[in-house]
Every structure is written in C-alpha cells, then in structure tokens.
Amino acid sequence: MKRWIAAWLAGALFGAGLALSRMTDPNVVLGFLDVTGDFDPRLAFVLFGAVATTLIAFRLVLRRPRPVLAERFQLPLSQAIDRPLVTGALLFGVGWGLAGYCPGPALVGAAAGVDTALAFVAAMIAGSLLQAITVRRGPA
C-alpha cells in the first residue's frame, strides 16, 4: 500500500509541475519546436530543471543499498542502441512534434477532460497494445 501511495504522490507532483509550467498545453510544446517561427523557450527551462534534478537525485539515491519501498533497484540492463530503440525514438519524436503531447502531459490533459489529450491517450494506448502484440508474436 505504501508503494501505491508513494507512486500516486509522485504522479500528482509530476502532474502539478506539468500543469504549473503549462507543459500540458500542446501549443507551448509546439512553440518550442517551432525554431524558425514563433519560438517559445519555456520548455527548455523545464527540461533543464528536470535534467539537473535527475543528475543530482540519481547520484544520491543510487548510493543507497536499496530503494526505501522496494527490495532492489530495477535499472535497465541493456545500453544497446538498436533498431527498435531508434525506431521508437523517431516515432515518439514525430508524434510529439505533430501533436504537441508526450505521455505525461497527455495523461494530465486527459484527466482534465481536454478532448485532444483524450484522443492522444486513446491512440497511445492503441499503440502500446499493438507493440505488446508484436512483441508476443516475436520476429517475423
């Protein structure tokens, strides 16, 4: 139960930060990506804050023998840059550039009842299900 509460609180904090910084507004994100037009640099500050926080926090947290609410850390084992990673990154970037949403802000927008966010989340879930089916079938 403690893990669920911690996850909910972390998600609520993340969502509040996204809303406060207006990163749930796809126009802010699209403005950041429009470097030759009406450029909006706000996303750069949010990204810098996230990266700086992560660089500091990860170094401190990973010094612990284990997480506070788990038996062990669950860190990625692979560092390979392979075709699925690159393809997924490209698809993510194209989707982000077209819609102005990525998963976190889309979920916050959907929870607020924003129709474009609801459509994005539906498409995101469909893509996740398609990926799960593809992985289960194995290589062609």
Side-chain angles (χ1 to χ4, degrees):
M1 186 62 159
K2 288 179 184 180
R3 290 175 67 184
W4 282 93
I5 293 170
W8 189 89
L9 289 172
L13 179 64
F14 180 71
L18 288 173
L20 183 65
S21 63
R22 294 195 53 225
M23 292 302 111
T24 57
D25 180 354
N27 294 316
V28 172
V29 175
L30 293 172
F32 173 75
L33 297 173
D34 187 8
V35 293
T36 61
D38 190 21
F39 180 68
D40 183 349
R42 288 182 283 182
L43 178 57
F45 291 101
V46 174
L47 290 172
F48 176 76
V51 169
T53 301
T54 300
L55 284 173
I56 294 167
F58 269 40
R59 294 196 192 296
L60 295 174
V61 168
L62 292 176
R63 287 183 184 165
R64 301 178 54 84
R66 68 181 194 84
V68 174
L69 298 176
E71 293 301 316
R72 62 182 175 81
F73 288 105
Q74 295 182 17
L75 302 172
L77 300 176
S78 173
Q79 294 183 356
I81 298 175
D82 55 9
R83 181 175 293 145
L85 175 66
V86 172
T87 303
L90 287 171
L91 288 172
F92 177 90
V94 168
W96 191 41
L98 290 173
Y101 282 120
C102 64
L107 290 172
V108 174
V114 177
D115 58 345
T116 55
L118 289 166
F120 182 92
V121 169
M124 183 175 69
I125 291 170
S128 296
L129 292 173
L130 179 62
Q131 188 272 343
I133 292 166
T134 304
V135 166
R136 246 185 257 127
R137 286 188 183 164

